[in-house]
Amino acid sequence: MRVKEKEKQTYMYRVRGRNVDDYCLVPYQHTSSISSVGSVIGDFLNKNFIFEMRTCVNYSEQTFKKTMVVLLAKDSVIEIEKPIYDNYKEEINKVMAYNMSRAVNKYIYDGKTKVVVNFISSGCEYYFKGNGGSNSVNDICGLKTLFISLTNQSDIKLFKNIICDLVGEHTPTYEFLDGDNLLLKAGGRSLVFNKNAYDLMISTVEEQKENLNKSGKSKVM
């Protein structure tokens, strides 16, 4: 009796635009070789300023039970199955971390940014000049939302740095706003967070307080 050959594991990915037509009509590509997708990811990273990364389970008939990682630029999207992402995680996360740090350093205290802590999204949602379709970073004029993923250690480190920089040696105060948002104030500056940020924010403030106590600046706190 002839033994049936084991079917090769295949992985899915696609590059598409951000409009509805592309989402519905652009087909997924299938490959049994993760390394073959490297050039596709590299080309996407080179051509686009990556704004946001999401991890999600795609429930369409074609991708049932597939965990997909979605990288969003202004006009383009690449969707890759998680094993593909895991193979190129270091390169992708390096780009994401650079973009997020750049946005934080430039825009975080403009008074227009909300920090959203969650489990699926990492990255930035920007304000743009006018309504042009350019994908250039020169069109960015502000940071609307900073997404912090609790599953990403680089995001958590960035979040803690933001809190420590905001609080400094001051005594912070916070209040809950309408819509379950949280306002943190310290030293004449403030930031808005979603309610999911509360626990990490409080633990970071306490850690900052302990560090100041150890350094002899406890009188400030």
Side-chain angles (χ1 to χ4, degrees), residues 1 3 7-8 11 16 26-27 52 61 68 70 83 89 91 94 106 117 136 147 160 177 181 185 199 203 215 219:
M1 179 183 293
V3 179
E7 189 174 338
K8 281 188 176 182
Y11 305 96
R16 60 175 174 82
V26 175
E52 186 180 346
E61 182 179 354
M68 308 296 290
V70 184
K89 183 176 181 178
E91 294 88 341
K94 187 180 296 185
K106 193 165 185 179
V117 174
S136 170
F147 297 98
K160 290 184 175 183
L177 307 173
N181 291 324
K185 297 180 180 178
D199 288 340
S203 64
S215 66
K219 64 180 184 300

Side-chain angles (χ1 to χ4, degrees), residues 72-170:
L72 296 93
K74 186 181 179 188
D75 300 309
S76 302
V77 177
I78 185 170
E79 301 175 43
I80 53 177
E81 199 170 331
K82 193 168 185 301
I84 299 176
Y85 163 73
D86 289 340
N87 193 69
Y88 296 100
K89 183 176 181 178
E90 184 176 346
E91 294 88 341
I92 293 172
N93 285 0
K94 187 180 296 185
V95 172
M96 290 296 304
Y98 171 80
N99 291 347
M100 292 171 69
S101 295
R102 175 189 177 278
V104 166
N105 290 336
K106 193 165 185 179
Y107 302 114
I108 194 70
Y109 295 120
D110 285 356
K112 300 184 291 183
T113 301
K114 178 179 178 180
V115 180
V116 174
V117 174
N118 68 114
F119 285 97
I120 63 171
S121 294
S122 174
C124 305
E125 180 184 10
Y126 292 101
Y127 291 106
F128 292 96
K129 301 173 184 175
N131 298 311
S134 171
N135 200 33
S136 170
V137 296
N138 294 324
D139 292 332
I140 296 172
C141 60
L143 177 60
K144 184 176 182 181
T145 311
L146 178 68
F147 297 98
I148 297 292
S149 172
L150 290 171
T151 63
N152 188 312
Q153 290 302 312
S154 294
D155 282 16
I156 294 175
K157 181 179 179 180
L158 178 61
F159 178 91
K160 290 184 175 183
N161 287 341
I162 291 170
I163 296 295
C164 291
D165 180 65
L166 174 66
V167 172
E169 299 176 11
H170 302 279

Side-chain angles (χ1 to χ4, degrees), residues 2-8:
R2 184 177 179 181
V3 179
K4 185 178 180 180
E5 291 185 8
K6 186 177 180 180
E7 189 174 338
K8 281 188 176 182

Side-chain angles (χ1 to χ4, degrees), residues 114 175-182 192-197:
K114 178 179 178 180
E175 60 182 291
F176 285 97
L177 307 173
D178 293 339
D180 291 327
N181 291 324
L182 180 68
V192 175
F193 300 81
N194 69 328
K195 64 179 182 180
N196 293 336

